[in-house]
Amino acid sequence: MKIEYLEEFVTLADMKYYHTAAGKLFISQSALSKHIQALEASMHVQLFERGGPPAQL
């Protein structure tokens, strides 16, 4: 697990929207999504409900 992914998780949880969080982090939405998925896989837990904005814990 990378510490950057945890920081990105916190930013996404705060901002609620992938596009807003990605912009603040200066990465693409695709990269952010992949990082969150990798974090979820390493922790064996789903961190956000998917299916539409905003991202929900």
Side-chain angles (χ1 to χ4, degrees), residues 7-56:
E7 293 170 349
E8 292 170 2
F9 165 76
V10 170
T11 301
L12 178 56
D14 183 46
M15 305 299 285
K16 306 271 192 257
Y17 294 94
Y18 275 83
H19 68 277
T20 307
K24 183 173 182 171
L25 294 163
F26 301 103
I27 62 174
S28 69
Q29 284 182 251
S30 176
L32 178 58
S33 180
K34 288 177 184 176
H35 295 173
I36 296 300
Q37 289 174 357
L39 186 59
E40 290 175 329
S42 71
M43 297 175 70
H44 306 287
V45 67
Q46 183 176 338
L47 299 171
F48 293 101
E49 289 184 26
R50 288 169 177 77
Q56 297 178 0

